[in-house]
Amino acid sequence: MDKLKITGNGPLKGEIRVSGAKNAALPILCASLLTGETLRLTNVPQLRDVQTIQKLLQGMGARVMTDNVHEYELTCANIDKLEAPYELVKTMRASILVLGPMLARFGEARVSLPGGCAIGERPVEQHIKGLEAMGAEITIEHGYIHAKASRLKGARIVTDMVTVTGTENLLMAAVLAEGTTVLENAAQEPEVTDLAECLIKMGAKITGLGTSTLTIEGVDKLHGAEHAVIADRIEAGTFLCAVAMTGGDVTLTHARPDTLDAVLDKLREAGADISTGADWIRIVMNQRPKAVSLRTAPYPAFPTDMQAQFMAMNTVAEGTGVVTETIFENRFMHVPELRRMGASINVEGNTSIIQGVAGLSGATVMATDLRASASLVIAGLIASGETIVDRIYHLDRGYEHIEAKLGGVGAQIERIN
């Protein structure tokens, strides 16, 4: 099993190219099921989760061409298996995103209940509730969701909570439904907007992009299109935290600073000098970071996917930071591992209080989920001695060649077996 070996090596300097967003690429790949014509995608990140979706689609009969590792051509003209099996879905909950498009185009879908990271409950009830409001008949038996509908009907759907994958599933289902669908309390994340923009290129009629109310006028069919996946704001934020911790001067290229307002504000509060352009972010850090307090909430507030990285930064910051997690109930699993490196963290319910220490020390630590993995990696960059991060298969689900990208700006990091 692969591990990362990291030795603290001082400030980072240079350029890092930001990859395409995993959380945009996965639903857009699933959107290929909505048409028999070819969907051409660029800026697709090379990740384990992307490979899982590719296997899932190919198992259903999709033709997937990848001449370039970041470019995909998907043609779903000959889908002959309307099922997402447990063997694939158990490794990645985003596989549930084939449910909406399959049901909308083919009138039937059988999808295993999902698995994924163990960061907390992420129920699919909102997906089911919305599809039933559109006329689907849904049963759950033997661990599978079985949905049927001759043709979905437009409906007004108000989800009980803000759910990103729920919004995406219902959005994809609605584009081929008969009549108008209004999704209220919709997720506003940039990745949802990126999916909507791709669907519009395919012929969908969607308004309200970037807001909590999406209105979809159903069409009879969609066609092929070309689309570039949006830059990964979480990958970008992770690298920015790494520089804020270690010091240095790094420019992120192919980035989208307009999707990172809450993160950039907190980094400036920590003492970072940040400048931006349309597709780049430069961070200069010449001091020990100041502790920052934050509370996670749905976009455009501070993202839960950046909580662990900021906690890592707070471990070596000046002062005390308070981090409150409101999205997932089990997302402090990185705390014991950071403590092994010398961090001073007290957890009280969904709140962690981090007292900054003068420095961390290298240790062998275990990754428990995707973003926890990232926090341990960037903690290793500032720690004295050698840090070994084990179980990095979590990391490979969401970060494309992180060791090469960090190594390119001066980090001493390597993948070992």
Side-chain angles (χ1 to χ4, degrees):
M1 188 178 294
D2 285 0
K3 305 175 183 181
L4 285 180
K5 182 171 75 171
I6 307 159
T7 305
N9 196 39
L12 304 177
K13 294 186 178 180
E15 284 190 3
I16 300 176
R17 180 189 172 113
V18 178
S19 297
K22 171 183 89 89
N23 289 339
L26 300 182
I28 290 172
L29 288 164
C30 294
S32 64
L33 289 165
L34 289 164
T35 178
E37 298 183 19
T38 299
L39 178 62
R40 295 178 177 87
L41 302 176
T42 58
N43 203 37
V44 179
Q46 191 178 8
L47 301 170
R48 181 172 294 186
D49 277 8
V50 169
Q51 294 167 355
T52 299
I53 286 288
Q54 178 183 341
K55 288 179 186 175
L56 175 58
L57 293 171
Q58 287 173 322
M60 295 163 62
R63 187 176 63 125
V64 183
M65 307 286 288
T66 55
D67 290 340
N68 179 310
V69 293
H70 297 115
E71 297 180 7
Y72 278 63
E73 288 192 2
L74 303 102
T75 308
C76 294
N78 298 307
I79 298 298
D80 56 10
K81 187 179 182 184
L82 302 176
E83 180 175 312
Y86 171 73
E87 290 71 28
L88 288 174
V89 178
K90 71 177 180 180
T91 65
M92 186 186 66
R93 76 174 316 277
S95 305
I96 192 73
L97 288 167
V98 300
L99 176 62
M102 263 203 295
L103 182 61
R105 181 166 164 226
F106 301 105
E108 187 173 0
R110 189 169 183 266
V111 179
S112 172
L113 289 166
C117 282
I119 56 176
E121 286 297 318
R122 294 189 275 188
V124 298
E125 280 86 350
Q126 302 306 307
H127 306 238
I128 294 170
K129 171 187 169 183
L131 292 172
E132 286 179 333
M134 298 167 72
E137 295 180 6
I138 297 179
T139 56
I140 298 177
E141 54 187 7
H142 309 301
Y144 279 79
I145 302 167
H146 192 189
K148 288 186 176 182
S150 55
R151 185 180 181 186
L152 295 173
K153 310 287 186 183
R156 177 175 174 265
I157 301 168
V158 184
T159 55
D160 296 339
M161 64 188 78
V162 177
T163 161
V164 173
T165 54
T167 298
E168 291 166 341
N169 233 340
L170 298 175
L171 176 61
M172 288 190 282
V175 296
L176 291 180
E178 180 182 347
T180 301
T181 299
V182 179
L183 298 180
E184 298 196 26
N185 201 27
Q188 302 175 55
E189 272 72 3
E191 296 79 15
V192 175
T193 298
D194 200 41
L195 169 63
E197 288 175 346
C198 179
L199 292 170
I200 289 169
K201 291 175 184 176
M202 296 168 70
K205 297 180 179 179
I206 307 167
T207 58
L209 275 65
T211 75
S212 61
T213 302
L214 294 173
T215 303
I216 307 102
E217 185 68 43
V219 296
D220 290 334
K221 63 182 295 187
L222 298 184
H223 51 70
E226 294 188 17
H227 183 75
V229 175
I230 193 174
D232 194 321
R233 61 195 170 100
I234 305 303
E235 183 195 59
T238 301
F239 293 138
L240 292 170
C241 277
V243 181
M245 290 177 71
T246 61
D249 183 347
V250 170
T251 299
L252 304 183
T253 63
H254 299 83
R256 280 285 299 271
D258 58 317
T259 65
L260 279 163
D261 288 343
V263 169
L264 297 181
D265 285 347
K266 285 295 175 184
L267 286 167
R268 291 188 177 104
E269 187 181 324
D273 180 8
I274 293 176
S275 51
T276 63
D279 61 353
W280 59 268
I281 305 169
R282 181 184 180 191
I283 177 170
V284 180
M285 192 68 165
N286 294 317
Q287 64 186 64
R288 181 184 179 187
K290 299 182 182 73
V292 295
S293 294
L294 58 92
R295 182 183 183 88
T296 64
Y299 190 86
F302 192 90
T304 180
D305 279 354
M306 283 301 305
Q307 173 256 105
Q309 298 90 312
F310 268 77
M311 188 183 293
M313 184 185 73
N314 273 339
T315 64
V316 293
E318 180 183 346
T320 301
V322 178
V323 172
T324 303
E325 173 61 54
T326 72
I327 307 297
F328 295 119
E329 70 276 10
N330 196 24
R331 206 163 198 182
F332 286 154
M333 290 191 291
H334 44 285
V335 169
E337 304 304 304
L338 289 171
R339 284 178 181 149
R340 285 175 54 77
M341 301 176 71
S344 176
I345 307 172
N346 289 315
V347 177
E348 298 177 3
N350 67 336
T351 297
S352 286
I353 302 156
I354 308 102
Q355 177 67 50
V357 296
L360 301 177
S361 59
T364 297
V365 291
M366 182 178 68
T368 52
D369 61 72
L370 172 55
R371 306 307 172 185
S373 308
S375 74
L376 299 176
V377 170
I378 62 177
L381 298 177
I382 194 70
S384 62
E386 185 177 276
T387 297
I388 303 291
V389 182
D390 201 355
R391 289 174 59 176
I392 60 167
Y393 57 84
H394 289 293
L395 198 70
D396 292 336
R397 290 184 51 231
Y399 290 89
E400 182 176 22
H401 307 310
I402 192 171
E403 69 275 16
K405 292 189 176 188
L406 287 171
V409 292
Q412 194 169 327
I413 177 172
E414 64 175 315
R415 183 178 291 253
I416 59 174
N417 189 289

